[in-house]
Amino acid sequence: MKNILVTGATGQIGTELIMKLRHIYGNDHIVASNIREHKENPIMQSGPFELMDVRDASRFFEVATKYNVDTIIHLAAFLSATAEKKPLLAWDLNMGGLINALEVAKELECQFFTPSSIGAFGPSTQKNKTPQDALQRPNTMYGINKVAGELLCDYYFTKYGVDTRGMRFPGLISYMALPGGGTTDYAVHIFYEALKTGKFTSYLRKDTFMDMMYMPDAINSIIKLMEANPDKLHHRNAYNVSAMSFSPEMIAAEIKKHIPTFKMSYKIDPVRQKIADSWPNSIDSTAAIQEWHFRAVYDLKTMTADMLKRIKL
Ligand code: SER
């Protein structure tokens, strides 16, 4: 990894990943790109930035060639709830962007990363400790995109030798850039509301379990996976990775330990509840641990304490 192009750069993962990559590999070697500029985002000032719609194949090639990139980290995509509201647009962006990114990686012989998700599983998947190789019949547009994306990564690896790598991320919790349009977003918004108003209304039922991970663990994992010995990687679609599994009532109880007056109420959003109910309660990361030594440091307790300390309102 010498010259890295990151798409969807101002999003929740991109913002923190780019700051870290620029710190490690040098500011000028990390090219950030996004469909829009976000002037206030710290990545806009600290190194190269290119406006790019990932659906525009020739622009993708132009940017990648201009910076002589050898690595593509493709993050631009709609999350689950937005994709459910706009399924055709989600297909267009999530699949159109991915196929362009893979084509550029193939032509320019780049190493490649794109995230999959717990959303790549569906209601018929084993719910607890979902194994690496499990039934994948998601019933959301986002899930369909993620399964097709995983298969495409396998295809480009076996057919063209593209060095594809990926992870099935759980809900990611962070304090630098907010997530948008996801089903797991509540686990971020709850902290801001707890600090601002002392209360939060959850759009998911109190007993809805999903896997989650704190962003520093997600960022370190991406870098670790990208630097891993290719010969050791037996899964080129995406690795299960998990750090913690909790429900809205559990995170509320953890926040109450710091803010005793915090009040949680519930107003269920049927669309996001249905999506959450179709996903695993917890997934099993054994393959990632064995093949590239995946490790998450933060659990619910340490993540909660850190979030409450670091959020700036
Ligand atoms: N965080 C994503 C979402 O909720 C899941 O990958 O859509």
Side-chain angles (χ1 to χ4, degrees):
M1 294 207 284
K2 288 199 176 66
N3 294 316
I4 308 172
L5 171 61
V6 183
T7 70
T10 57
Q12 192 200 9
I13 303 177
T15 303
E16 286 191 45
L17 179 65
I18 287 170
M19 298 308 279
K20 181 89 182 229
L21 290 174
R22 284 186 173 156
H23 182 70
I24 301 173
Y25 300 97
N27 286 1
D28 295 344
H29 295 278
I30 312 300
V31 185
S33 79
N34 206 67
I35 194 165
R36 249 168 250 110
E37 291 188 18
H38 291 102
K39 292 246 174 326
E40 71 299 342
N41 191 301
I43 62 116
M44 303 283 305
Q45 318 304 333
S46 59
F49 175 86
E50 292 283 340
L51 269 177
M52 175 171 98
D53 181 339
V54 290
R55 292 168 297 185
D56 182 345
S58 57
R59 174 77 180 135
F60 213 136
F61 271 101
E62 181 188 303
V63 171
T65 313
K66 175 174 168 190
Y67 292 93
N68 198 17
V69 306
D70 59 14
T71 305
I72 295 172
I73 297 185
H74 178 58
L75 304 175
F78 281 145
L79 290 182
S80 57
T82 308
E84 227 29 42
K85 270 190 220 132
K86 300 175 183 166
L88 290 185
L89 202 53
W91 180 267
D92 189 35
L93 176 70
N94 293 2
M95 301 315 301
L98 178 61
I99 201 83
N100 286 342
L102 283 164
E103 276 296 304
V104 175
K106 180 184 89 180
E107 293 303 320
L108 304 183
E109 297 182 8
C110 296
Q111 205 192 359
F112 187 81
F113 176 90
T114 197
S116 185
S117 157
I118 51 171
F121 297 117
S124 50
T125 307
Q126 178 182 318
K127 272 249 172 265
N128 295 306
K129 295 257 169 241
T130 306
Q132 173 67 34
D133 294 311
L135 196 56
Q136 291 184 269
R137 297 283 311 260
N139 57 2
T140 62
M141 178 49 87
Y142 180 70
I144 293 166
N145 296 164
K146 289 301 182 192
V147 174
E150 288 190 17
L151 294 173
L152 277 174
C153 286
D154 262 345
Y155 184 80
Y156 272 73
F157 173 71
T158 47
K159 187 164 173 128
Y160 303 117
V162 178
D163 186 356
T164 56
R165 305 179 184 207
M167 274 177 259
R168 293 182 183 129
F169 275 133
L172 297 178
I173 300 168
S174 63
Y175 55 85
M176 265 176 73
L178 286 170
T183 302
T184 56
D185 295 6
Y186 90 88
V188 178
H189 294 139
I190 192 170
F191 287 104
Y192 286 85
E193 289 304 314
L195 289 167
K196 237 187 275 171
T197 65
K199 53 187 198 259
F200 181 69
T201 306
S202 169
Y203 55 76
L204 295 179
R205 254 186 356 253
K206 63 182 179 181
D207 59 351
T208 309
F209 275 83
M210 284 186 291
D211 263 312
M212 302 280 175
M213 188 186 285
Y214 198 28
M215 192 60 91
D217 282 329
I219 301 299
N220 288 336
S221 303
I222 294 175
I223 295 167
K224 199 168 192 178
L225 175 59
M226 292 306 274
E227 287 180 344
N229 179 349
D231 302 336
K232 299 270 188 267
L233 305 178
H234 302 299
H235 299 84
R236 293 312 189 125
N237 53 334
Y239 284 92
N240 279 8
V241 285
S242 171
M244 56 190 109
S245 167
F246 60 74
S247 61
E249 87 184 322
M250 281 170 71
I251 189 172
E254 196 57 43
I255 290 173
K256 244 176 174 314
K257 290 183 191 164
H258 300 263
I259 308 172
T261 52
F262 176 65
K263 288 250 170 338
M264 181 87 148
S265 58
Y266 296 87
K267 186 168 182 282
I268 307 311
D269 167 12
V271 175
R272 283 179 287 187
Q273 185 65 53
K274 187 163 175 252
I275 297 174
D277 286 341
S278 78
W279 291 354
N281 296 338
S282 65
I283 61 174
D284 175 60
S285 322
T286 305
I289 295 166
Q290 285 174 349
E291 293 176 28
W292 50 276
H293 312 294
F294 161 73
R295 180 166 166 259
V297 173
Y298 287 91
D299 60 13
L300 175 57
K301 191 171 174 235
T302 50
M303 175 275 291
T304 301
D306 205 57
M307 279 292 281
L308 291 172
K309 196 171 76 194
R310 286 181 191 270
I311 287 176
K312 291 192 186 65
L313 293 174

